[in-house]
């Protein structure tokens, strides 16, 4: 069975600094997608960044980038120039390409990120 | 462009009662997935509806059932409520033919079972 593990329940970062959130996963599939979602107190889950497993290049979206290590099954999120609005719960999620059309994401336990002014 | 909308936002029920939660997908989307998120945890997949049929189901008992209407909106029904059903219920929509795996989420319905 596929699993996603986030080993950091809480992280904090100073405004304008850089922080890295960790995620590991387990799967026997060769083709899959990985995601980082952000859930602020308003509760709505927002997609931060997406990575296709077949792509070696790490995905980047403005201040957000990932370090995807397929062999190690590791998928960390780096937030540069942290802003107060980045404070939220961050979830790492996985879906196998075979099930990507069925909407079945497997989520980690989440990491609460605090941004200090 | 309307996003995913859910109703009600909050509700309180007692054990043994039944509840119905509603979801309207993002404009242009035809697929709806439901997730249960316990406090401080990641969401757990309940099931997905596409073309008015349940396409895949997670590890949830038959007390959890759903429906999709011709306009793609969806309902989640939970019968014989237990205290452990207290959670945030998230609806997510997508395009059935999409291969990106990306879901768009609503703000959720917070269910409290007393």
């Amino acid at each position: 069975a596929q699993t996603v593990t986030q080993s950091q329940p809480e992280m904090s970062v100073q405004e304008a600094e850089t922080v890295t959130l960790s995620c590991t996963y387990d799967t026997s599939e060769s083709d899959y997608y990985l995601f980082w979602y952000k859930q602020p107190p308003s509760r709505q889950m927002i997609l931060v960044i997406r990575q296709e497993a077949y792509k070696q290049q790490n995905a980047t979206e403005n201040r957000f980038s990932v370090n995807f290590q397929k062999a190690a099954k590791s998928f960390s999120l780096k937030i540069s120039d942290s802003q107060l609005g980045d404070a939220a719960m961050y979830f790492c999620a996985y879906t196998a390409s075979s099930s990507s059309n069925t909407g079945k994401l497997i989520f980690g336990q989440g990491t609460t990120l605090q941004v200090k002014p | 462009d309307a996003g995913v909308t859910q109703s009600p936002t909050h509700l309180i029920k007692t054990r043994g009662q039944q509840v119905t939660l509603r979801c309207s997908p993002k404009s242009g989307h035809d697929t709806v997935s439901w997730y249960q998120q316990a406090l401080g945890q990641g969401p757990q997949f309940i099931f997905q509806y596409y073309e008015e049929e349940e396409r895949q189901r997670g590890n949830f008992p038959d007390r959890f059932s759903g429906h999709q209407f011709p306009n793609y909106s969806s309902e989640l029904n939970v019968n014989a409520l237990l205290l452990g059903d207290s959670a945030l219920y998230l609806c997510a929509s997508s395009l059935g033919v999409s291969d990106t795996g990306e879901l768009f989420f609503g703000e959720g319905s917070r269910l409290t079972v007393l």
Side-chain angles (χ1 to χ4, degrees):
Chain A
Q2 295 97 345
T3 59
V4 176
T5 302
Q6 293 177 249
S7 59
Q8 305 157 315
E10 295 180 358
M11 292 283 284
S12 66
V13 63
Q14 210 67 35
E15 196 176 5
E17 297 295 310
T18 297
V19 65
T20 298
L21 308 184
S22 300
C23 172
T24 59
Y25 60 94
D26 189 23
T27 182
S28 57
E29 301 280 343
S30 59
D31 197 13
Y32 49 87
Y33 297 99
L34 295 165
F35 307 86
W36 279 98
Y37 277 90
K38 169 186 177 182
Q39 188 177 39
S42 66
R43 308 185 317 201
Q44 186 167 23
M45 202 82 76
I46 303 165
L47 178 66
V48 174
I49 200 164
R50 180 174 67 93
Q51 174 82 42
E52 293 100 330
Y54 66 87
K55 288 187 177 180
Q56 292 185 341
Q57 186 174 8
N58 289 324
T60 299
E61 288 287 343
N62 300 314
R63 298 182 296 108
F64 299 87
S65 62
V66 299
N67 183 6
F68 173 49
Q69 301 290 328
K70 190 171 184 179
K73 295 180 181 175
S74 169
F75 183 62
S76 61
L77 174 69
K78 185 172 82 172
I79 306 174
S80 304
D81 186 24
S82 297
Q83 300 175 0
L84 295 177
D86 294 334
M89 195 153 189
Y90 286 80
F91 290 97
C92 178
Y94 160 98
T95 187
S97 295
S98 60
S99 65
S100 63
N101 283 340
T102 64
K104 183 179 180 180
L105 291 180
I106 298 170
F107 286 87
Q109 305 91 319
T111 297
T112 300
L113 177 65
Q114 180 185 25
V115 181
K116 299 178 180 178
Chain B
D1 180 19
V4 179
T5 58
Q6 293 187 243
S7 64
T9 55
H10 295 84
L11 70 166
I12 300 173
K13 294 285 187 179
T14 57
R15 280 179 297 176
Q17 284 189 314
Q18 179 263 346
V19 67
T20 297
L21 309 178
R22 296 175 177 81
C23 172
S24 292
K26 178 180 168 64
S27 178
H29 285 182
D30 57 4
T31 304
V32 173
S33 303
W34 287 93
Y35 288 78
Q36 180 195 66
Q37 186 179 15
L39 194 62
Q41 300 295 316
Q44 299 287 320
F45 176 77
I46 303 175
F47 44 52
Q48 187 195 57
Y49 277 84
Y50 173 67
E51 293 187 339
E52 302 182 45
E53 290 190 357
E54 183 182 295
R55 186 156 68 172
Q56 190 168 348
R57 189 181 184 92
N59 188 26
F60 279 80
D62 291 343
R63 297 187 298 108
F64 290 77
S65 63
H67 187 78
Q68 186 179 34
F69 300 93
N71 66 353
Y72 308 122
S73 66
S74 176
E75 288 182 349
L76 164 65
N77 301 293
V78 187
N79 295 323
L81 284 168
L82 305 173
L83 295 179
D85 295 330
S86 295
L88 179 67
Y89 288 85
L90 296 170
C91 171
S93 73
S94 57
L95 263 177
V97 296
S98 168
D99 62 353
T100 67
E102 182 176 350
L103 300 181
F104 291 81
F105 285 85
E107 293 188 1
S109 295
R110 170 76 66 191
L111 171 65
T112 301
V113 181
L114 301 177

